[in-house]
Amino acid sequence: MRALYCYPLCFLFIAIPSAVLAAESLDERLHAELRTINHFSQQLVSANEEFIDELKSERCIKNSTQGAADLNPSCKKQALQHLETLDENNRRSEEYMANMFRGWARVYGMLRVAHTQCGINSINFDLVPSSIRVQSTVILHDPDALLLEYIEASEGVLEQDLDDIDCDAIQSFTATVQRIMIEMKRASENMR
């Protein structure tokens, strides 16, 4: 009997977000996507810090003068827990990175249509699909996973009234994205 009450609720949970998404401007959607990317980026930084802390905390094997086979039971348990924690941390880091890549694929998919509509040429979109494929294989192990996100985001923009696109807002957002990319490139170069 409870299932009968769930159907109207399920419809509301599906219909209302779609209506809200349709009413949301492209500029708002792009900024929301950027906030999501930032959220996953912060989680990734936190996970990396936890990973480093966990590496530093493992003392049992380092301080042992015996071989791994001769470790006492409590030391073996500590070493196994340490490895499980590192594996879990790696899994979460990969998940955060994959979510960030998905977000960037959606951002570039939306921007591609907006740039065409507004006559903006500050991003070479011919290079984006190959870059997305590389990111896909690094994290998702599926060369088409992010490309699909990119295409779907582009198609989503094409479904709305393109005359409503605020080209000044898109130009400003593009400049923000380009600054972020420059900062990310500098950060990765500094880590080398």
Side-chain angles (χ1 to χ4, degrees):
M1 192 66 180
R2 287 183 185 168
L4 294 176
Y5 296 110
C6 289
Y7 289 123
L9 288 175
C10 290
F11 173 76
L12 287 175
F13 286 129
I14 292 168
I16 290 176
S18 338
V20 169
L21 185 62
E24 201 175 30
S25 74
L26 178 59
D27 183 47
E28 291 167 332
R29 287 167 56 194
L30 284 165
H31 279 92
E33 200 64 59
L34 202 54
R35 284 190 296 275
T36 302
I37 291 167
N38 186 48
H39 170 73
F40 285 117
S41 175
Q42 290 172 350
Q43 286 185 310
L44 181 62
V45 168
S46 176
N48 287 342
E49 288 170 357
E50 288 173 21
F51 182 82
I52 290 167
D53 289 345
E54 183 63 30
L55 280 176
K56 290 178 182 175
S57 73
E58 207 335 65
R59 301 276 184 247
C60 189
I61 293 175
K62 289 180 190 172
N63 295 335
S64 174
T65 56
Q66 304 166 344
D70 298 329
L71 294 177
N72 66 48
S74 67
C75 191
K76 281 184 182 179
K77 185 177 178 181
Q78 180 186 345
L80 286 173
Q81 180 59 49
H82 171 70
L83 292 174
E84 286 174 14
T85 302
L86 291 175
D87 284 346
E88 173 60 20
N89 186 276
N90 275 336
R91 187 198 61 74
R92 285 189 294 120
S93 293
E94 285 183 3
E95 184 181 315
Y96 299 147
M97 197 171 290
N99 285 327
M100 285 171 52
F101 285 165
R102 285 185 190 103
W104 282 117
R106 288 190 292 269
V107 164
Y108 279 106
M110 289 186 270
L111 281 179
R112 182 177 70 88
V113 175
H115 278 216
T116 301
Q117 178 68 16
C118 296
I120 302 170
N121 297 317
S122 54
I123 294 176
N124 185 353
F125 286 99
D126 292 337
L127 300 177
V128 171
S130 58
S131 172
I132 284 174
R133 282 182 182 274
V134 169
Q135 291 173 341
S136 252
T137 54
V138 168
I139 295 299
L140 303 172
H141 312 294
D142 178 359
D144 296 323
L146 289 181
L147 198 55
L148 187 60
E149 295 274 353
Y150 174 75
I151 292 167
E152 287 175 352
S154 293
E155 289 173 351
V157 176
L158 289 171
E159 290 170 3
Q160 73 183 61
D161 185 359
L162 297 181
D163 292 331
D164 290 342
I165 294 177
D166 181 344
C167 292
D168 290 336
I170 296 300
Q171 183 75 58
S172 174
F173 183 84
T174 301
T176 301
V177 165
Q178 289 173 323
R179 280 194 304 274
I180 290 169
M181 289 301 164
I182 289 168
E183 288 171 14
M184 286 171 61
K185 187 175 180 182
R186 283 181 187 154
S188 67
E189 286 171 357
N190 290 339
M191 288 178 68
R192 289 179 188 170

